[in-house]
Amino acid sequence: MKIKDLIKQDAGFQYVIDSMEFMSSAGRRKMLNTEFSDNAAELQDEWQRLDRAIAATREYKYKKPYIELRHCLMQLHDLQGTLVSLANHTSLNEIELFEIKSLAQLTQIASGAISEMALSEMLPLPDTKEVFEVLDPDNTGIANFYIYDSYDARLAPLRRELQGLQTAGGDPVRISELLAEQNEIQNTVCIGLSDKLTHWTDTLVTAMEQMAYTDYLLSKADLSIRWELTRPEIGETTEYMGLINPRLKEHNEKHKLRYQPIDITLRPGVCLITGANMAGKTVLLKSVGTAQIMAQCGMYVPASKAIVRLMEGIATSIGDDQDEMNGLSSYAAEIIKISNILKECRKTELLVLIDEPARTTNPVEGKALVQAIITILNTMNSTTLITTHYSQLGTDCRRLRVKGFVEDMADVPLNPQNINRFIDYSLTEDQSDNVPQEALRIADILGCDEQLTTLARENVNR
């Protein structure tokens, strides 16, 4: 699966990608076509290149070549279509020849900058000097392209005559004849240049792709520095210390709200997450999913320390999947998705994230479904996180509980505006089969109708 597919499934990862600063459309295209990889050697190589790119961009002595390299990338056009035409021996027009000449020049300049930054070994660019010379017969040294007189001996005298007639307001018939002859010669030149350039098709394709990758790599390095991301390690379990959700963290900082990073360790099998409403269980699932995608797409992750068990894919059932166009209720859409997840887990080792399954159906059947889901997934090698509000499930699995409200932290009365300050989002191992009962307490804090909460408490007590 490629990044362009993953961003459709994970809004948190979409936010990550939207936060990257690409210099070119080619760099973004390269990123979108990057594969989700479970190849440890490939990922280690990519993280090593990212390490070196980060170090180079931070070095003051490389500031000048780094700026020059970014300037080259800003001028880079994505020539995929033009290069396909060249490979198919299609004659290029003057604009396309200009694009080829520009790519050749930018590649040479970028190669020099990369060499100054001591990155040539990991970012090798092909020599495009001969391509540039073919398109610059008069040695102008500039990227602009023109059908120069030197390409065909007939052009110089023809253009002199044409200019003289046009300046003097000469015979329009003759001017028309000369213009037609000039166009014919120029077309012949374009055909000849296109035939000659096919010899360097592979070189130009390599230059295009390496320049695009360079842009992508520098964008990842920039994001890693700005967000203080961490290089992950590969292990048999997944462990995050100080895991954050970048999107939520930025939102909280913008609104001067507290943000609490989370520590969590995941092992193959099922881990049940319980906790009060508003305790961040859904955010935790989304954060784990986004971090896994980032790691396996060759990026650093938003945590102070990260050990990642490589998975073959990610499967999620988070949020309201109602599909009104297909006539599906929330429950129907959810149960179909979970059924598909189980089928995939029988074939593939996945990271599975399921948020409060069967919460929209009746409690008796809902509880039975959750028990069945846990029992099935516990027999597989996938790593599964499930959040739930169901108590007394009676299933054998690991349990973690979000600590939730800590009233002795409160130095002012709780209210909807400051409630975030008094929630401890950290996780603790929980051997019990009960879930916290915080719904009525939260309703009180949020100022809900007093008669409603009073009657509800009486019902609970009965």
Side-chain angles (χ1 to χ4, degrees):
M1 186 172 287
K2 297 181 179 181
I3 285 180
K4 63 184 177 184
D5 303 308
L6 292 164
I7 58 177
K8 298 174 185 176
Q9 300 178 13
D10 190 295
F13 187 54
Q14 172 76 70
Y15 177 78
V16 172
I17 297 304
D18 289 344
S19 299
M20 297 178 71
E21 297 180 354
F22 294 95
M23 297 293 104
S24 69
S25 61
R28 185 173 180 82
R29 187 255 305 163
K30 191 73 172 178
M31 173 274 298
L32 290 173
N33 286 302
T34 296
E35 295 278 355
F36 179 91
S37 173
D38 60 355
N39 186 308
E42 287 180 359
L43 289 171
Q44 294 285 17
D45 287 346
E46 182 64 12
W47 293 333
Q48 180 62 29
R49 286 189 286 269
L50 184 51
D51 256 351
R52 292 184 60 187
I54 290 170
T57 56
R58 280 176 163 160
E59 284 276 0
Y60 180 78
K61 65 181 179 180
Y62 297 143
K63 183 178 180 180
K64 183 177 178 181
Y66 175 64
I67 291 173
E68 186 174 45
L69 179 57
R70 284 175 63 92
H71 184 66
C72 281
L73 295 171
M74 288 174 65
Q75 299 176 71
L76 183 67
H77 292 275
D78 199 345
L79 306 189
Q80 272 196 312
T82 299
L83 295 175
V84 168
S85 295
L86 189 63
N88 292 333
H89 298 273
T90 303
S91 177
L92 305 183
N93 58 38
E94 290 185 54
I95 293 175
E96 291 169 324
L97 290 169
F98 158 71
E99 291 175 335
I100 295 289
K101 185 179 182 183
S102 177
L103 173 61
Q105 185 181 56
L106 290 173
T107 301
Q108 291 299 100
I109 297 171
S111 181
I114 288 171
S115 177
E116 284 188 58
M117 296 172 70
L119 298 177
S120 295
E121 182 183 347
M122 72 174 203
L123 292 174
L125 290 174
D127 187 351
T128 54
K129 182 180 178 182
E130 290 185 41
V131 175
F132 187 81
E133 289 175 347
V134 166
L135 297 173
D136 189 39
D138 292 352
N139 298 316
T140 65
I142 60 176
N144 291 344
F145 179 74
Y146 175 67
I147 303 294
Y148 298 95
D149 291 349
S150 50
Y151 279 129
D152 192 302
R154 295 172 292 172
L155 282 172
L158 185 153
R159 285 170 170 168
R160 281 196 298 271
E161 182 181 354
L162 180 60
Q163 184 179 13
L165 288 171
Q166 289 174 328
T167 302
D171 181 7
V173 174
R174 179 56 181 163
I175 290 175
S176 180
E177 290 173 350
L178 291 173
L179 285 172
E181 186 179 350
Q182 177 182 247
N183 288 337
E184 184 179 341
I185 295 171
Q186 289 181 162
N187 288 336
T188 301
V189 170
C190 287
I191 292 170
L193 288 174
S194 300
D195 287 342
K196 187 175 291 188
L197 289 173
T198 56
H199 173 72
W200 289 288
T201 300
D202 291 344
T203 297
L204 290 166
V205 169
T206 300
M208 184 74 254
E209 293 309 304
Q210 279 296 93
M211 290 283 278
Y213 172 73
T214 300
D215 187 14
Y216 175 36
L217 184 67
L218 293 183
S219 298
K220 289 198 292 186
D222 172 71
L223 187 72
S224 299
I225 294 169
R226 283 191 285 119
W227 282 8
E228 299 180 330
L229 303 178
T230 296
R231 176 175 174 168
E233 302 172 25
I234 295 174
E236 291 303 309
T237 60
T238 293
E239 178 182 346
Y240 295 110
M241 294 184 63
L243 176 67
I244 68 167
N245 183 295
R247 187 179 186 181
L248 182 59
K249 182 174 184 288
E250 182 171 300
H251 172 273
N252 284 13
E253 289 175 348
K254 181 179 179 180
H255 293 87
K256 296 182 170 50
L257 298 173
R258 182 177 69 94
Y259 184 84
Q260 180 180 342
I262 300 299
D263 299 343
I264 186 170
T265 299
L266 306 174
R267 309 182 189 98
V270 176
C271 179
L272 206 60
I273 306 288
T274 63
N277 295 92
M278 301 180 65
K281 300 186 298 299
T282 303
V283 170
L284 172 63
L285 261 60
K286 291 179 178 180
S287 302
V288 168
T290 298
Q292 187 83 24
I293 293 173
M294 291 176 71
Q296 293 195 234
C297 288
M299 303 174 72
Y300 285 2
V301 298
S304 57
K305 178 183 178 182
I307 301 172
V308 177
R309 178 183 175 88
L310 300 183
M311 313 300 291
E312 294 175 76
I314 297 178
T316 64
S317 176
I318 300 176
D320 184 4
D321 292 315
Q322 182 170 339
D323 188 348
E324 296 175 352
M325 296 302 292
N326 291 327
L328 295 178
S329 67
S330 296
Y331 169 73
E334 176 193 50
I335 205 65
I336 289 172
K337 176 167 279 193
I338 291 174
S339 176
N340 290 334
I341 288 173
L342 295 178
K343 290 176 184 176
E344 282 298 308
C345 285
R346 291 188 176 98
K347 302 178 294 183
T348 309
E349 189 172 325
L350 303 175
L351 172 65
V352 178
L353 306 169
I354 304 178
D355 189 29
E356 295 190 36
R359 66 189 179 279
T360 57
T361 191
N362 77 75
V364 175
E365 290 181 302
K367 184 175 177 178
L369 280 164
V370 175
Q371 290 169 326
I373 292 167
I374 294 172
T375 300
I376 294 170
L377 286 171
N378 250 340
T379 65
M380 302 174 182
N381 285 329
S382 291
T383 299
T384 302
L385 271 181
I386 299 177
T387 65
T388 188
H389 280 293
Y390 286 121
S391 291
Q392 303 299 318
L393 290 170
T395 53
D396 182 19
C397 67
R398 182 177 174 226
R399 289 173 170 81
L400 293 174
R401 176 175 53 82
V402 181
K403 288 184 178 179
F405 290 100
V406 184
E407 288 193 33
D408 57 12
M409 292 170 58
D411 52 2
V412 295
L414 290 171
N415 60 58
Q417 286 69 46
N418 69 11
I419 195 171
N420 165 274
R421 291 170 52 188
F422 309 115
I423 300 176
D424 185 346
Y425 296 98
S426 59
L427 300 166
T428 182
E429 297 281 349
D430 187 1
Q431 301 304 318
S432 73
D433 202 13
N434 296 316
V435 298
Q437 296 184 4
E438 301 272 13
L440 296 179
R441 187 174 168 208
I442 293 170
D444 286 336
I445 292 170
L446 297 176
C448 289
D449 185 87
E450 186 176 345
Q451 183 182 15
L452 170 66
T453 54
T454 300
L455 287 174
R457 279 192 175 85
E458 291 175 2
N459 290 334
V460 170
N461 293 332
R462 281 199 297 268

Tab-separated table of all heavy atoms in Angstrom, residues 214-237:
chain	number	residue	atom	x	y	z
A	214	THR	N	15.231	13.611	-3.448
A	214	THR	CA	15.981	14.575	-2.623
A	214	THR	C	15.034	15.564	-1.960
A	214	THR	O	15.165	15.884	-0.763
A	214	THR	CB	17.020	15.324	-3.481
A	214	THR	OG1	17.939	14.382	-4.042
A	214	THR	CG2	17.783	16.342	-2.659
A	215	ASP	N	14.060	16.042	-2.718
A	215	ASP	CA	13.058	16.960	-2.160
A	215	ASP	C	12.279	16.274	-1.038
A	215	ASP	O	12.051	16.849	0.034
A	215	ASP	CB	12.109	17.422	-3.267
A	215	ASP	CG	11.150	18.509	-2.810
A	215	ASP	OD1	11.361	19.098	-1.731
A	215	ASP	OD2	10.177	18.786	-3.541
A	216	TYR	N	11.865	15.033	-1.279
A	216	TYR	CA	11.109	14.274	-0.270
A	216	TYR	C	11.941	14.066	0.987
A	216	TYR	O	11.467	14.259	2.114
A	216	TYR	CB	10.678	12.945	-0.886
A	216	TYR	CG	9.981	11.999	0.059
A	216	TYR	CD1	9.124	12.460	1.060
A	216	TYR	CD2	10.159	10.619	-0.060
A	216	TYR	CE1	8.476	11.573	1.910
A	216	TYR	CE2	9.509	9.733	0.787
A	216	TYR	CZ	8.680	10.220	1.773
A	216	TYR	OH	8.044	9.341	2.618
A	217	LEU	N	13.204	13.691	0.817
A	217	LEU	CA	14.077	13.439	1.964
A	217	LEU	C	14.297	14.707	2.784
A	217	LEU	O	14.230	14.687	4.021
A	217	LEU	CB	15.418	12.882	1.483
A	217	LEU	CG	16.403	12.481	2.592
A	217	LEU	CD1	15.861	11.292	3.373
A	217	LEU	CD2	17.772	12.152	1.991
A	218	LEU	N	14.554	15.824	2.102
A	218	LEU	CA	14.756	17.078	2.824
A	218	LEU	C	13.481	17.528	3.528
A	218	LEU	O	13.529	18.127	4.611
A	218	LEU	CB	15.241	18.168	1.863
A	218	LEU	CG	16.639	17.969	1.257
A	218	LEU	CD1	17.003	19.163	0.376
A	218	LEU	CD2	17.693	17.767	2.337
A	219	SER	N	12.325	17.226	2.938
A	219	SER	CA	11.053	17.568	3.582
A	219	SER	C	10.864	16.753	4.852
A	219	SER	O	10.388	17.267	5.872
A	219	SER	CB	9.887	17.313	2.622
A	219	SER	OG	9.983	18.125	1.480
A	220	LYS	N	11.248	15.470	4.803
A	220	LYS	CA	11.175	14.642	6.003
A	220	LYS	C	12.148	15.132	7.066
A	220	LYS	O	11.820	15.143	8.261
A	220	LYS	CB	11.487	13.183	5.656
A	220	LYS	CG	10.394	12.491	4.868
A	220	LYS	CD	10.522	10.977	4.928
A	220	LYS	CE	11.743	10.471	4.207
A	220	LYS	NZ	11.773	8.983	4.165
A	221	ALA	N	13.337	15.535	6.647
A	221	ALA	CA	14.328	16.045	7.593
A	221	ALA	C	13.836	17.320	8.263
A	221	ALA	O	13.949	17.487	9.483
A	221	ALA	CB	15.653	16.299	6.873
A	222	ASP	N	13.251	18.208	7.466
A	222	ASP	CA	12.720	19.458	8.003
A	222	ASP	C	11.614	19.196	9.023
A	222	ASP	O	11.590	19.793	10.098
A	222	ASP	CB	12.189	20.318	6.851
A	222	ASP	CG	11.450	21.554	7.337
A	222	ASP	OD1	12.106	22.473	7.857
A	222	ASP	OD2	10.210	21.594	7.214
A	223	LEU	N	10.704	18.273	8.693
A	223	LEU	CA	9.618	17.943	9.620
A	223	LEU	C	10.171	17.309	10.893
A	223	LEU	O	9.704	17.616	12.004
A	223	LEU	CB	8.636	16.978	8.955
A	223	LEU	CG	7.369	16.677	9.764
A	223	LEU	CD1	6.442	17.890	9.758
A	223	LEU	CD2	6.635	15.457	9.212
A	224	SER	N	11.169	16.458	10.764
A	224	SER	CA	11.770	15.808	11.929
A	224	SER	C	12.372	16.827	12.885
A	224	SER	O	12.262	16.684	14.108
A	224	SER	CB	12.848	14.813	11.482
A	224	SER	OG	12.300	13.800	10.668
A	225	ILE	N	12.980	17.860	12.317
A	225	ILE	CA	13.582	18.911	13.149
A	225	ILE	C	12.504	19.767	13.792
A	225	ILE	O	12.544	20.039	14.993
A	225	ILE	CB	14.548	19.766	12.300
A	225	ILE	CG1	15.752	18.917	11.848
A	225	ILE	CG2	15.017	20.986	13.083
A	225	ILE	CD1	16.617	19.591	10.806
A	226	ARG	N	11.522	20.192	12.999
A	226	ARG	CA	10.467	21.077	13.531
A	226	ARG	C	9.634	20.403	14.606
A	226	ARG	O	9.270	21.022	15.608
A	226	ARG	CB	9.554	21.540	12.383
A	226	ARG	CG	10.133	22.630	11.506
A	226	ARG	CD	9.083	23.216	10.585
A	226	ARG	NE	8.743	22.342	9.483
A	226	ARG	CZ	7.543	21.839	9.254
A	226	ARG	NH1	6.531	22.133	10.081
A	226	ARG	NH2	7.305	21.069	8.212
A	227	TRP	N	9.340	19.134	14.416
A	227	TRP	CA	8.474	18.416	15.360
A	227	TRP	C	9.261	17.619	16.400
A	227	TRP	O	8.666	16.963	17.239
A	227	TRP	CB	7.548	17.476	14.595
A	227	TRP	CG	6.386	18.156	13.945
A	227	TRP	CD1	6.157	19.499	13.840
A	227	TRP	CD2	5.271	17.518	13.300
A	227	TRP	NE1	4.986	19.739	13.181
A	227	TRP	CE2	4.414	18.547	12.835
A	227	TRP	CE3	4.916	16.201	13.076
A	227	TRP	CZ2	3.228	18.287	12.149
A	227	TRP	CZ3	3.737	15.924	12.392
A	227	TRP	CH2	2.905	16.957	11.939
A	228	GLU	N	10.581	17.656	16.307
A	228	GLU	CA	11.437	16.904	17.231
A	228	GLU	C	11.075	15.418	17.225
A	228	GLU	O	10.873	14.796	18.272
A	228	GLU	CB	11.351	17.481	18.651
A	228	GLU	CG	11.820	18.926	18.739
A	228	GLU	CD	11.734	19.496	20.142
A	228	GLU	OE1	10.844	19.063	20.906
A	228	GLU	OE2	12.569	20.341	20.495
A	229	LEU	N	10.997	14.859	16.030
A	229	LEU	CA	10.657	13.451	15.872
A	229	LEU	C	11.851	12.570	16.224
A	229	LEU	O	12.988	13.033	16.278
A	229	LEU	CB	10.197	13.179	14.437
A	229	LEU	CG	9.005	14.003	13.945
A	229	LEU	CD1	8.688	13.654	12.493
A	229	LEU	CD2	7.786	13.794	14.832
A	230	THR	N	11.575	11.298	16.451
A	230	THR	CA	12.582	10.348	16.919
A	230	THR	C	12.752	9.200	15.934
A	230	THR	O	11.764	8.674	15.411
A	230	THR	CB	12.160	9.774	18.290
A	230	THR	OG1	12.123	10.832	19.240
A	230	THR	CG2	13.120	8.692	18.756
A	231	ARG	N	14.006	8.811	15.718
A	231	ARG	CA	14.267	7.635	14.878
A	231	ARG	C	13.825	6.381	15.620
A	231	ARG	O	14.258	6.117	16.738
A	231	ARG	CB	15.745	7.532	14.535
A	231	ARG	CG	16.082	6.261	13.749
A	231	ARG	CD	17.521	6.219	13.319
A	231	ARG	NE	17.839	4.931	12.693
A	231	ARG	CZ	18.961	4.681	12.017
A	231	ARG	NH1	19.857	5.630	11.876
A	231	ARG	NH2	19.177	3.495	11.492
A	232	PRO	N	12.945	5.579	15.027
A	232	PRO	CA	12.495	4.356	15.704
A	232	PRO	C	13.517	3.238	15.596
A	232	PRO	O	14.365	3.227	14.697
A	232	PRO	CB	11.205	3.998	14.970
A	232	PRO	CG	11.369	4.587	13.611
A	232	PRO	CD	12.246	5.797	13.755
A	233	GLU	N	13.425	2.289	16.519
A	233	GLU	CA	14.160	1.038	16.434
A	233	GLU	C	13.167	-0.050	16.038
A	233	GLU	O	11.962	0.126	16.154
A	233	GLU	CB	14.806	0.694	17.778
A	233	GLU	CG	15.760	1.755	18.302
A	233	GLU	CD	16.218	1.447	19.720
A	233	GLU	OE1	16.205	0.249	20.096
A	233	GLU	OE2	16.546	2.381	20.449
A	234	ILE	N	13.689	-1.178	15.581
A	234	ILE	CA	12.838	-2.306	15.208
A	234	ILE	C	12.961	-3.376	16.273
A	234	ILE	O	14.065	-3.730	16.695
A	234	ILE	CB	13.226	-2.857	13.829
A	234	ILE	CG1	12.964	-1.797	12.745
A	234	ILE	CG2	12.457	-4.129	13.505
A	234	ILE	CD1	13.449	-2.183	11.365
A	235	GLY	N	11.825	-3.899	16.755
A	235	GLY	CA	11.848	-4.905	17.811
A	235	GLY	C	10.727	-5.918	17.667
A	235	GLY	O	9.919	-5.860	16.736
A	236	GLU	N	10.655	-6.835	18.618
A	236	GLU	CA	9.612	-7.861	18.618
A	236	GLU	C	8.317	-7.347	19.224
A	236	GLU	O	7.260	-7.937	19.047
A	236	GLU	CB	10.099	-9.100	19.385
A	236	GLU	CG	11.209	-9.862	18.685
A	236	GLU	CD	10.801	-10.315	17.288
A	236	GLU	OE1	9.718	-10.924	17.163
A	236	GLU	OE2	11.552	-10.053	16.338
A	237	THR	N	8.416	-6.269	19.985
A	237	THR	CA	7.229	-5.608	20.523
A	237	THR	C	7.273	-4.147	20.103
A	237	THR	O	8.308	-3.656	19.634
A	237	THR	CB	7.178	-5.687	22.061
A	237	THR	OG1	8.337	-5.038	22.597
A	237	THR	CG2	7.130	-7.126	22.540
